[in-house]
Every structure is written in C-alpha cells, then in structure tokens.
Amino acid sequence: MLKNKCTLEEMVRGTKPVERGVPTLMVPTTAGTGSEATPNAIVLVPEENLKVGIVTDLMIADCVILDPAMTAGLPPHITANTGIDALCHLMECYISKKANPLSDTFELQGIKLVAKSIRECYKNGSNLKAREKMLLAACYGGICIASSSTTAIHALSYPLGGRYHIPHGLANAILMPLVMDANKEACLDKYYDMAVAMELDVNGKSKQEVADMFVKELYAFNKDLNIKCNLQEKGISEDVIPELVEGASKVTRLLGNNPKFFTHEEMADIYRKLIEANR
C-alpha cells in the first residue's frame, strides 16, 4: 500500500521522500505496450464505455527484465497486434507536439528495430534475435510515451476498445494507416525521417513522395501480418460513428499532442473509411 504522507511542498523541495510502496520488477510477456517503462495505466470506465489513462511516477518500475524467451510462445496474431501497438507508440511520439531530442533518439531507433523484425517474429516466433529486437523497440516506445506521449491513433482507438472491446493493439493497428495518412501533410519532414529509419528507398524522391511511400508501407505491415477485424460482428456500422467521435473527442490528453487538429467531421471520415476497409 502506498503511504504518501508528505506534502507537495516537501516533494518539490526534496525534504521528505515519497514512499513508493512495494518495489517492482517488471518482465513484459508481449512486445507491445512498453508499459514496463511508462508511468501510465489504462482503465475502463464502464459508464462511459471509454478507456482512460492514469499517469503517475509511482507506477514506474524499479527494475525491468527484457527476456525474449518470455515472448517466444505468443501466437502470431497477438505478436502482430502487440507489435503494431509498439510501432504506433514510436511513430505517434515522434510526430507529437511534445516530441523532444531525447524521445526522438529512441523513436527512430525503435522504428528501425520494428521494421527489421516484426515480420520475422510473425512468421517465426521462435527466432529469439527478432523477438529481442521487438522487445527493445517496445521498451523504447514506453520510454517515449513517458517523454512525449501518443496522439490521435490512440485517441480514436479508445472508443473501439471501451465500447466494443476490440483489443487495444488491434484497434490501433487498423486505425494506424488511416490516421497517419490524415496527419501526413502536417509533418512531411518527420515522415521522411521515419521512412529512412525503416530503410525505405528514398533516393531521388520528394518529401511528399516519401511520405506517400511511408503510409503505403504501413498498409503493407497490416497486410503482411494479416491484421483485420470484422467490425460488423462487433456491432460497428456507420450508424454508430457519432458515438465513436464523441468518445474520441473526449481524449483531449492525446488529441492535444497531435500535429494536426482533427475536427469531428475529419474523425468521422476516418471511422467511415475504417468501416469500409474492414467490411
């Protein structure tokens, strides 16, 4: 049990330590959330059919062990969904308004690791070298979340998880190319950087062409990893788009970090395209 007996003034001045409670050692069993490196926890608010974040330094681990053997037995579809979740963390944090030199270093390195290893992990889950790269990438993503935060992909995915119980990584994955495409014009330079990190062929291409190629690669990830979701079976049709937009618009903690301001109409268009693409 936490016993925070000190006042805020004492915490700021450092005159009295915060009692953190039981020491924690975290060993992730998926290469996805990077939660072992974040101060975040996500909870479901049933009354609002929405997932929300709780952020406190008290949830940062005292020690972390990244053991690829702990992820070797993951089924391919979980490997894919959680791996794309890690990629979303890295990309979103890189384009976030809160991005900074520290987070940028981890983000680009993490994106490079994902590009080199996620397909191999999906096809050959026993490849511990590939698993290790994905674990590092996920952890890097967690470090970046703590430093710069995610953006619109996560904001739009929360209603899909909260209202319709679509797994978090899968919700992010199916939204990823659509949201990144919608953000494209606001951050061409950063899309160029991420394309270079993925080792895409950028030679002789304009930044616009590279950004288009980068988004195309995101669609290719989902295709190669067989990521799809029958939204109709989940009860998601165009009739519920207003509810999804209402839920997403409440996630101002993340939407405020997005490089482009999304109107309700633009969010509705993304959900509409998502429904059409996953019929």
Side-chain angles (χ1 to χ4, degrees):
M1 180 180 294
L2 295 175
K3 298 178 181 179
N4 297 318
K5 300 176 182 178
C6 57
T7 66
L8 178 60
E9 183 180 8
E10 288 171 330
M11 289 172 62
V12 172
R13 291 182 176 180
T15 55
K16 189 172 183 179
V18 177
E19 296 186 36
R20 286 177 49 86
V22 177
T24 54
L25 186 154
M26 297 190 184
V27 185
T29 56
T30 65
T33 65
S35 58
E36 69 277 3
T38 77
N40 298 13
I42 303 299
V43 297
L44 174 66
V45 182
E47 308 84 59
E48 298 186 17
N49 291 315
L50 187 65
K51 291 182 176 180
V52 297
I54 297 174
V55 182
T56 170
D57 290 346
L58 296 172
M59 286 190 286
I60 296 176
D62 294 289
C63 181
V64 172
I65 295 177
L66 301 179
D67 182 357
M70 297 296 293
T71 66
L74 284 176
H77 74 282
I78 297 180
T79 295
N81 294 346
T82 56
I84 292 297
D85 186 28
L87 179 61
C88 288
H89 294 162
L90 294 158
M91 294 189 302
E92 289 180 87
C93 288
Y94 190 59
I95 66 173
S96 169
K97 290 180 179 178
K98 294 180 181 176
N100 55 77
L102 174 65
S103 64
D104 287 353
T105 300
F106 284 99
E107 287 145 7
L108 292 176
Q109 181 61 26
I111 289 169
K112 179 181 292 187
L113 289 170
V114 171
K116 286 179 176 292
S117 58
I118 191 170
R119 289 182 174 95
E120 174 61 19
C121 286
Y122 179 75
K123 295 176 183 176
N124 180 14
S126 62
N127 186 329
L128 294 185
K129 289 293 185 182
R131 291 288 192 184
E132 181 180 10
K133 290 177 182 177
M134 281 303 302
L135 267 178
L136 281 172
C139 188
Y140 290 168
I143 292 170
C144 296
I145 288 173
S147 178
S148 59
S149 189
T150 53
T151 56
I153 295 176
H154 274 66
L156 270 68
S157 79
Y158 280 178
L160 297 179
R163 292 171 183 264
Y164 299 100
H165 308 293
I166 296 175
H168 177 68
L170 178 58
N172 284 339
I174 58 179
L175 279 163
M176 172 185 69
L178 290 166
V179 177
M180 293 299 285
D181 193 20
N183 271 325
K184 183 173 56 182
E185 300 303 323
C187 37
L188 291 177
D189 289 341
K190 292 205 167 187
Y191 278 41
Y192 187 96
D193 295 340
M194 291 189 288
V196 171
M198 285 187 177
E199 299 185 359
L200 302 180
D201 183 10
V202 302
N203 291 332
K205 296 181 176 66
S206 68
K207 289 183 179 180
Q208 182 69 61
E209 290 171 329
V210 170
D212 292 339
M213 179 175 60
F214 175 74
V215 172
K216 186 176 180 180
E217 180 68 6
L218 301 184
Y219 280 104
F221 276 130
N222 280 358
K223 181 179 179 181
D224 294 345
L225 301 176
N226 198 30
I227 290 175
K228 54 190 176 183
C229 181
N230 189 325
L231 298 180
Q232 188 173 5
E233 288 184 355
K234 300 290 186 180
I236 301 176
S237 64
E238 293 194 13
D239 294 340
V240 304
I241 289 178
E243 297 176 11
L244 295 173
V245 172
E246 180 184 5
S249 64
K250 294 178 181 179
V251 193
T252 55
R253 178 176 65 89
L254 304 183
L255 289 175
N257 301 327
N258 203 62
K260 170 186 167 62
F261 174 76
F262 283 159
T263 65
H264 283 204
E265 290 74 18
E266 288 170 321
M267 286 190 280
D269 186 54
I270 290 172
Y271 283 127
R272 190 172 297 107
K273 289 178 179 177
L274 178 65
I275 292 168
E276 292 172 354
N278 286 275
R279 278 176 178 160

